Amino acid sequence: MSCLDDYRMTLKGREFLPLMVGGMGTNISTSALVLAIEKLGGIAHLSDAMLPTVADKELGTDFTKQKTILLKKFSGSFDKSLEKFDLAALAEVSDRYFRNVMDKVSGKGLVLEAHHERSAGHAQNTAEQRAECRR
């Protein structure tokens, strides 16, 4: 009888179990699922898609509540430019969200990050991540 261990794959000299997860949607590819797959030796994808909603749930923020307040406040206005999330707060939460997950990585598997909500501060982090991937 064969098992997952019989089908290990090698990427850049590292072996992984053929467990891959990600891209299944908001609150499906959760941080908990990503960490579980990584801990087993698989590869997982962590995204910040719908980050305000995910951060409200996982980090206790109130982005969606604040956005609802703005939507109600400007409901009769043609100018919708003020109906947006606080981008500086969103950038800080994005960093915190990824750090919280990456601090728990066991090193047995691999976690791939996808930052869709980018800030100026992410440029340096992205360059450092690319350098890490080339090693």
Side-chain angles (χ1 to χ4, degrees):
M1 176 188 233
S2 62
C3 64
L4 281 178
D5 223 26
D6 297 335
Y7 300 97
R8 286 190 166 270
M9 52 189 183
T10 304
L11 298 171
K12 290 220 169 203
R14 284 187 61 195
E15 282 194 355
F16 302 97
L17 287 177
L19 297 171
M20 291 178 253
V21 69
M24 295 186 297
T26 305
N27 283 335
I28 298 171
S29 295
T30 64
S31 58
L33 178 59
V34 163
L35 289 169
I37 294 297
E38 186 278 334
K39 187 176 181 177
L40 291 170
I43 300 172
H45 172 256
L46 181 65
S47 174
D48 68 354
M50 298 279 301
L51 182 64
T53 303
V54 173
D56 286 355
K57 182 180 174 186
E58 292 192 22
L59 302 175
T61 60
D62 65 353
F63 285 106
T64 52
K65 178 182 175 186
Q66 293 303 317
K67 181 76 179 250
T68 300
I69 291 169
L70 288 174
L71 288 171
K72 288 179 182 176
K73 181 178 178 181
F74 296 107
S75 65
S77 173
F78 288 108
D79 180 9
K80 303 296 182 189
S81 64
L82 297 176
E83 293 178 15
K84 60 185 174 189
F85 293 111
D86 177 343
L87 298 181
L90 191 57
E92 185 273 324
V93 156
S94 178
D95 288 340
R96 197 167 103 208
Y97 174 69
F98 281 98
R99 246 186 263 116
N100 280 351
V101 174
M102 298 309 285
D103 285 348
K104 297 173 186 165
V105 168
S106 71
K108 294 177 183 176
L110 179 66
V111 173
L112 305 173
E113 298 180 21
H115 296 267
H116 301 287
E117 305 291 341
R118 294 204 183 267
S119 68
H122 281 131
Q124 173 139 0
N125 292 342
T126 303
E128 291 168 2
Q129 289 165 356
R130 282 194 206 115
E132 180 66 28
C133 287
R134 284 192 288 269
R135 290 185 200 153

Short mmCIF file of all heavy atoms in Angstrom, two decimals, residues 10-53:
data_model
loop_
_atom_site.label_atom_id
_atom_site.label_comp_id
_atom_site.label_asym_id
_atom_site.label_seq_id
_atom_site.Cartn_x
_atom_site.Cartn_y
_atom_site.Cartn_z
N THR A 10 10.50 17.25 -4.88
CA THR A 10 11.67 18.06 -4.54
C THR A 10 11.64 19.36 -5.32
O THR A 10 11.48 19.36 -6.54
CB THR A 10 12.98 17.29 -4.86
OG1 THR A 10 12.95 16.04 -4.16
CG2 THR A 10 14.19 18.09 -4.44
N LEU A 11 11.78 20.45 -4.59
CA LEU A 11 11.86 21.78 -5.18
C LEU A 11 13.07 22.48 -4.60
O LEU A 11 13.17 22.63 -3.38
CB LEU A 11 10.61 22.61 -4.87
CG LEU A 11 9.28 22.08 -5.39
CD1 LEU A 11 8.13 22.89 -4.81
CD2 LEU A 11 9.24 22.14 -6.90
N LYS A 12 13.99 22.88 -5.47
CA LYS A 12 15.22 23.55 -5.02
C LYS A 12 15.92 22.80 -3.91
O LYS A 12 16.37 23.38 -2.92
CB LYS A 12 14.90 24.97 -4.60
CG LYS A 12 14.54 25.87 -5.75
CD LYS A 12 15.17 27.21 -5.56
CE LYS A 12 15.04 27.99 -6.82
NZ LYS A 12 16.01 29.02 -6.92
N GLY A 13 15.96 21.49 -4.03
CA GLY A 13 16.68 20.66 -3.06
C GLY A 13 15.93 20.35 -1.78
O GLY A 13 16.45 19.66 -0.91
N ARG A 14 14.71 20.85 -1.63
CA ARG A 14 13.90 20.56 -0.44
C ARG A 14 12.79 19.59 -0.81
O ARG A 14 12.19 19.69 -1.87
CB ARG A 14 13.25 21.83 0.11
CG ARG A 14 14.23 22.70 0.85
CD ARG A 14 13.55 23.86 1.54
NE ARG A 14 12.59 23.41 2.54
CZ ARG A 14 11.66 24.20 3.06
NH1 ARG A 14 11.55 25.45 2.69
NH2 ARG A 14 10.81 23.73 3.96
N GLU A 15 12.52 18.65 0.06
CA GLU A 15 11.45 17.68 -0.17
C GLU A 15 10.17 18.12 0.52
O GLU A 15 10.20 18.61 1.64
CB GLU A 15 11.85 16.29 0.35
CG GLU A 15 12.79 15.56 -0.55
CD GLU A 15 12.89 14.09 -0.19
OE1 GLU A 15 12.29 13.66 0.83
OE2 GLU A 15 13.58 13.36 -0.92
N PHE A 16 9.05 17.92 -0.19
CA PHE A 16 7.73 18.25 0.34
C PHE A 16 6.79 17.10 0.06
O PHE A 16 6.93 16.37 -0.92
CB PHE A 16 7.17 19.51 -0.34
CG PHE A 16 8.03 20.72 -0.17
CD1 PHE A 16 8.92 21.10 -1.17
CD2 PHE A 16 7.96 21.47 0.98
CE1 PHE A 16 9.71 22.22 -1.03
CE2 PHE A 16 8.76 22.60 1.14
CZ PHE A 16 9.63 22.97 0.14
N LEU A 17 5.81 16.95 0.94
CA LEU A 17 4.72 16.01 0.67
C LEU A 17 3.84 16.61 -0.42
O LEU A 17 3.75 17.82 -0.54
CB LEU A 17 3.88 15.76 1.92
CG LEU A 17 4.52 14.92 3.02
CD1 LEU A 17 3.58 14.84 4.22
CD2 LEU A 17 4.83 13.52 2.51
N PRO A 18 3.17 15.79 -1.20
CA PRO A 18 2.31 16.33 -2.27
C PRO A 18 0.98 16.85 -1.73
O PRO A 18 -0.09 16.46 -2.18
CB PRO A 18 2.13 15.13 -3.20
CG PRO A 18 2.22 13.96 -2.30
CD PRO A 18 3.24 14.34 -1.25
N LEU A 19 1.07 17.71 -0.75
CA LEU A 19 -0.09 18.39 -0.19
C LEU A 19 0.01 19.85 -0.57
O LEU A 19 0.96 20.53 -0.17
CB LEU A 19 -0.12 18.29 1.34
CG LEU A 19 -0.24 16.92 1.96
CD1 LEU A 19 -0.03 17.00 3.46
CD2 LEU A 19 -1.60 16.33 1.65
N MET A 20 -0.92 20.33 -1.37
CA MET A 20 -0.89 21.73 -1.78
C MET A 20 -2.28 22.32 -1.59
O MET A 20 -3.27 21.70 -1.98
CB MET A 20 -0.46 21.84 -3.24
CG MET A 20 0.99 21.46 -3.43
SD MET A 20 1.47 21.54 -5.13
CE MET A 20 1.58 19.80 -5.49
N VAL A 21 -2.31 23.48 -0.99
CA VAL A 21 -3.59 24.13 -0.73
C VAL A 21 -3.45 25.62 -0.95
O VAL A 21 -2.40 26.21 -0.70
CB VAL A 21 -4.08 23.82 0.70
CG1 VAL A 21 -3.23 24.48 1.74
CG2 VAL A 21 -5.53 24.19 0.87
N GLY A 22 -4.50 26.22 -1.42
CA GLY A 22 -4.53 27.67 -1.61
C GLY A 22 -5.45 28.06 -2.73
O GLY A 22 -5.86 27.23 -3.54
N GLY A 23 -5.81 29.32 -2.75
CA GLY A 23 -6.63 29.84 -3.83
C GLY A 23 -8.07 29.35 -3.81
O GLY A 23 -8.75 29.40 -4.82
N MET A 24 -8.52 28.86 -2.65
CA MET A 24 -9.88 28.31 -2.59
C MET A 24 -10.89 29.37 -2.19
O MET A 24 -12.08 29.12 -2.23
CB MET A 24 -9.94 27.15 -1.60
CG MET A 24 -9.10 25.98 -2.03
SD MET A 24 -9.29 24.54 -0.98
CE MET A 24 -8.70 25.14 0.58
N GLY A 25 -10.45 30.53 -1.81
CA GLY A 25 -11.37 31.60 -1.46
C GLY A 25 -11.19 32.08 -0.04
O GLY A 25 -10.57 31.43 0.80
N THR A 26 -11.76 33.25 0.21
CA THR A 26 -11.69 33.87 1.52
C THR A 26 -12.35 32.99 2.57
O THR A 26 -13.43 32.48 2.36
CB THR A 26 -12.37 35.24 1.46
OG1 THR A 26 -11.76 35.99 0.42
CG2 THR A 26 -12.24 35.98 2.76
N ASN A 27 -11.67 32.85 3.68
CA ASN A 27 -12.13 32.05 4.82
C ASN A 27 -12.27 30.57 4.50
O ASN A 27 -12.93 29.84 5.22
CB ASN A 27 -13.43 32.61 5.41
CG ASN A 27 -13.15 33.83 6.26
OD1 ASN A 27 -12.07 33.99 6.79
ND2 ASN A 27 -14.14 34.68 6.40
N ILE A 28 -11.67 30.11 3.42
CA ILE A 28 -11.55 28.68 3.14
C ILE A 28 -10.08 28.32 3.26
O ILE A 28 -9.70 27.44 4.01
CB ILE A 28 -12.13 28.30 1.76
CG1 ILE A 28 -13.61 28.63 1.71
CG2 ILE A 28 -11.88 26.81 1.48
CD1 ILE A 28 -14.25 28.50 0.35
N SER A 29 -9.24 29.03 2.50
CA SER A 29 -7.79 28.89 2.67
C SER A 29 -7.38 29.77 3.85
O SER A 29 -6.75 30.81 3.68
CB SER A 29 -7.06 29.34 1.40
OG SER A 29 -7.35 28.52 0.32
N THR A 30 -7.76 29.36 5.03
CA THR A 30 -7.51 30.16 6.23
C THR A 30 -6.07 30.04 6.70
O THR A 30 -5.35 29.12 6.30
CB THR A 30 -8.44 29.73 7.38
OG1 THR A 30 -8.13 28.37 7.72
CG2 THR A 30 -9.90 29.85 6.99
N SER A 31 -5.68 30.91 7.60
CA SER A 31 -4.34 30.83 8.17
C SER A 31 -4.16 29.50 8.91
O SER A 31 -3.09 28.90 8.87
CB SER A 31 -4.06 32.02 9.08
OG SER A 31 -5.02 32.08 10.13
N ALA A 32 -5.21 29.02 9.57
CA ALA A 32 -5.12 27.74 10.29
C ALA A 32 -4.88 26.58 9.32
O ALA A 32 -4.07 25.69 9.59
CB ALA A 32 -6.40 27.49 11.10
N LEU A 33 -5.58 26.58 8.19
CA LEU A 33 -5.38 25.52 7.19
C LEU A 33 -3.99 25.61 6.58
O LEU A 33 -3.30 24.60 6.42
CB LEU A 33 -6.45 25.62 6.09
CG LEU A 33 -6.35 24.60 4.96
CD1 LEU A 33 -6.43 23.17 5.49
CD2 LEU A 33 -7.44 24.86 3.93
N VAL A 34 -3.55 26.83 6.28
CA VAL A 34 -2.21 27.04 5.72
C VAL A 34 -1.15 26.48 6.67
O VAL A 34 -0.24 25.75 6.26
CB VAL A 34 -1.97 28.54 5.45
CG1 VAL A 34 -0.50 28.87 5.26
CG2 VAL A 34 -2.77 28.99 4.23
N LEU A 35 -1.26 26.79 7.95
CA LEU A 35 -0.28 26.31 8.93
C LEU A 35 -0.35 24.80 9.11
O LEU A 35 0.69 24.15 9.30
CB LEU A 35 -0.47 27.04 10.26
CG LEU A 35 -0.05 28.51 10.25
CD1 LEU A 35 -0.51 29.21 11.51
CD2 LEU A 35 1.46 28.64 10.07
N ALA A 36 -1.53 24.22 9.05
CA ALA A 36 -1.66 22.77 9.20
C ALA A 36 -0.98 22.05 8.04
O ALA A 36 -0.26 21.06 8.24
CB ALA A 36 -3.14 22.38 9.27
N ILE A 37 -1.19 22.53 6.81
CA ILE A 37 -0.57 21.90 5.63
C ILE A 37 0.95 22.05 5.69
O ILE A 37 1.69 21.11 5.43
CB ILE A 37 -1.14 22.51 4.33
CG1 ILE A 37 -2.62 22.15 4.18
CG2 ILE A 37 -0.33 22.07 3.11
CD1 ILE A 37 -2.91 20.67 4.04
N GLU A 38 1.42 23.25 6.07
CA GLU A 38 2.86 23.49 6.18
C GLU A 38 3.48 22.59 7.24
O GLU A 38 4.54 22.01 7.03
CB GLU A 38 3.11 24.97 6.50
CG GLU A 38 4.58 25.37 6.49
CD GLU A 38 5.34 25.05 7.77
OE1 GLU A 38 4.71 24.98 8.84
OE2 GLU A 38 6.56 24.87 7.69
N LYS A 39 2.81 22.43 8.35
CA LYS A 39 3.33 21.59 9.45
C LYS A 39 3.45 20.13 9.03
O LYS A 39 4.33 19.40 9.49
CB LYS A 39 2.43 21.72 10.67
CG LYS A 39 2.98 21.04 11.91
CD LYS A 39 2.08 21.29 13.10
CE LYS A 39 2.64 20.62 14.33
NZ LYS A 39 1.82 20.90 15.52
N LEU A 40 2.58 19.69 8.13
CA LEU A 40 2.63 18.31 7.63
C LEU A 40 3.72 18.12 6.56
O LEU A 40 4.00 16.99 6.17
CB LEU A 40 1.28 17.90 7.04
CG LEU A 40 0.15 17.73 8.05
CD1 LEU A 40 -1.18 17.57 7.33
CD2 LEU A 40 0.43 16.53 8.95
N GLY A 41 4.31 19.23 6.10
CA GLY A 41 5.36 19.13 5.08
C GLY A 41 4.88 19.46 3.69
O GLY A 41 5.57 19.19 2.71
N GLY A 42 3.71 20.04 3.58
CA GLY A 42 3.16 20.41 2.28
C GLY A 42 3.43 21.86 1.93
O GLY A 42 4.18 22.57 2.62
N ILE A 43 2.79 22.31 0.87
CA ILE A 43 2.94 23.68 0.38
C ILE A 43 1.58 24.36 0.46
O ILE A 43 0.58 23.83 -0.01
CB ILE A 43 3.45 23.69 -1.08
CG1 ILE A 43 4.82 22.99 -1.15
CG2 ILE A 43 3.54 25.11 -1.61
CD1 ILE A 43 5.33 22.77 -2.56
N ALA A 44 1.56 25.55 1.05
CA ALA A 44 0.30 26.28 1.23
C ALA A 44 0.44 27.72 0.76
O ALA A 44 1.51 28.31 0.85
CB ALA A 44 -0.13 26.23 2.69
N HIS A 45 -0.65 28.27 0.26
CA HIS A 45 -0.70 29.63 -0.25
C HIS A 45 -1.53 30.49 0.71
O HIS A 45 -2.67 30.15 1.01
CB HIS A 45 -1.34 29.61 -1.64
CG HIS A 45 -1.61 30.97 -2.18
ND1 HIS A 45 -2.88 31.50 -2.21
CD2 HIS A 45 -0.79 31.89 -2.72
CE1 HIS A 45 -2.82 32.70 -2.75
NE2 HIS A 45 -1.58 32.96 -3.06
N LEU A 46 -0.96 31.57 1.19
CA LEU A 46 -1.65 32.50 2.08
C LEU A 46 -1.86 33.81 1.36
O LEU A 46 -0.91 34.42 0.88
CB LEU A 46 -0.81 32.73 3.35
CG LEU A 46 -1.40 33.67 4.39
CD1 LEU A 46 -2.67 33.07 4.99
CD2 LEU A 46 -0.38 33.95 5.48
N SER A 47 -3.09 34.23 1.24
CA SER A 47 -3.44 35.45 0.52
C SER A 47 -4.06 36.47 1.45
O SER A 47 -4.61 36.14 2.49
CB SER A 47 -4.43 35.10 -0.60
OG SER A 47 -4.89 36.28 -1.23
N ASP A 48 -3.99 37.72 1.03
CA ASP A 48 -4.69 38.77 1.79
C ASP A 48 -5.97 39.19 1.09
O ASP A 48 -6.49 40.27 1.35
CB ASP A 48 -3.77 39.95 2.07
CG ASP A 48 -3.40 40.74 0.82
OD1 ASP A 48 -3.76 40.33 -0.30
OD2 ASP A 48 -2.74 41.79 0.96
N ALA A 49 -6.52 38.33 0.25
CA ALA A 49 -7.81 38.62 -0.39
C ALA A 49 -8.86 38.83 0.70
O ALA A 49 -8.91 38.07 1.66
CB ALA A 49 -8.21 37.48 -1.31
N MET A 50 -9.65 39.84 0.55
CA MET A 50 -10.70 40.18 1.52
C MET A 50 -10.10 40.39 2.92
O MET A 50 -10.73 40.08 3.93
CB MET A 50 -11.79 39.10 1.57
CG MET A 50 -12.52 38.91 0.27
SD MET A 50 -13.83 40.10 -0.02
CE MET A 50 -14.90 39.86 1.37
N LEU A 51 -8.90 40.93 2.97
CA LEU A 51 -8.21 41.10 4.24
C LEU A 51 -9.02 41.86 5.30
O LEU A 51 -8.99 41.45 6.47
CB LEU A 51 -6.85 41.77 4.05
CG LEU A 51 -6.04 41.95 5.33
CD1 LEU A 51 -5.68 40.60 5.93
CD2 LEU A 51 -4.79 42.76 5.07
N PRO A 52 -9.74 42.92 4.96
CA PRO A 52 -10.49 43.59 6.02
C PRO A 52 -11.45 42.65 6.76
O PRO A 52 -11.53 42.67 7.98
CB PRO A 52 -11.25 44.69 5.27
CG PRO A 52 -10.38 44.99 4.10
CD PRO A 52 -9.83 43.65 3.68
N THR A 53 -12.13 41.80 6.02
CA THR A 53 -13.07 40.86 6.64
C THR A 53 -12.32 39.81 7.46
O THR A 53 -12.70 39.48 8.58
CB THR A 53 -13.92 40.18 5.56
OG1 THR A 53 -14.60 41.19 4.82
CG2 THR A 53 -14.93 39.22 6.16
#
